[in-house]
Amino acid sequence: MDHTGKSEYPTGNPAYPTAQAGYPAQTPTGYTYSNQQQNVQQQPVQTVIVRQPQQAAPSDYLVFAIIVTAFCCLPLGIVGIIKASEAKNRFASGDYDGAEESSRSAKTWSIAGLVTGCITITISIILCTVVPIVVGAAATAAVGNFDNFGNYN
């Protein structure tokens, strides 16, 4: 209150609470307030949403990796499946470059498994057909030199 008994606390401004009974009204320190009405106009708030262009998900080669695991090379196929899953997860989290890298890795591991499996199957077929023929021919040649009584001719 000033010397006239009037409250110095501004009235009519909802930002300032009314003074409590028994306490003098105070103006916030460092602030000046004029009794003039100020016209405040709110400007419309403009929100800008920036969207990055949607990129297509890179191929994850999951089916290829599963086929390689089932029919060609189990260890390399499992690594291919893990990398394919990693590619999906990275793309879902927004890491497009990481998804591309995992996709290439899944393809590489799956191709390595396919090549390894094909080489292994080819060698197995050769061993399963050639070895019995050679052993059989050697056995026939050796048996041909014995008579019915086990004497060597």
Side-chain angles (χ1 to χ4, degrees):
M1 293 198 177
D2 65 3
H3 62 25
T4 62
K6 288 178 68 180
S7 173
E8 293 177 12
Y9 206 67
T11 59
N13 189 342
Y16 296 114
T18 59
Q20 295 181 1
Y23 293 99
Q26 297 179 356
T27 304
T29 308
Y31 291 96
T32 58
Y33 182 80
S34 69
N35 288 334
Q36 297 177 358
Q37 285 274 335
Q38 294 181 356
N39 291 333
V40 178
Q41 294 179 348
Q42 287 187 335
Q43 297 294 324
V45 178
Q46 198 173 33
T47 304
V48 178
I49 299 174
V50 178
R51 293 186 184 206
Q52 294 180 345
Q54 288 289 339
Q55 296 175 332
S59 178
D60 58 8
Y61 299 102
L62 182 62
V63 174
F64 183 32
I66 290 172
I67 291 171
V68 167
T69 302
F71 297 111
C72 297
C73 183
L74 183 70
L76 299 180
I78 289 174
V79 175
I81 290 172
I82 291 170
K83 292 295 182 179
S85 175
E86 188 177 288
K88 274 187 178 180
N89 292 340
R90 284 185 170 188
F91 182 75
S93 68
D95 182 10
Y96 186 76
D97 294 332
E100 280 285 331
E101 177 189 342
S102 294
S103 174
R104 282 191 301 272
S105 183
K107 182 180 178 183
T108 302
W109 282 104
S110 297
I111 289 173
L114 179 68
V115 169
T116 302
C118 288
I119 290 171
T120 303
I121 290 170
T122 302
I123 290 173
S124 298
I125 290 172
I126 290 172
L127 290 177
C128 288
T129 55
V130 171
V131 170
I133 291 172
V134 171
V135 171
T140 304
V143 171
N145 294 333
F146 290 96
D147 60 10
N148 290 339
F149 301 107
N151 298 327
Y152 185 71
N153 294 332

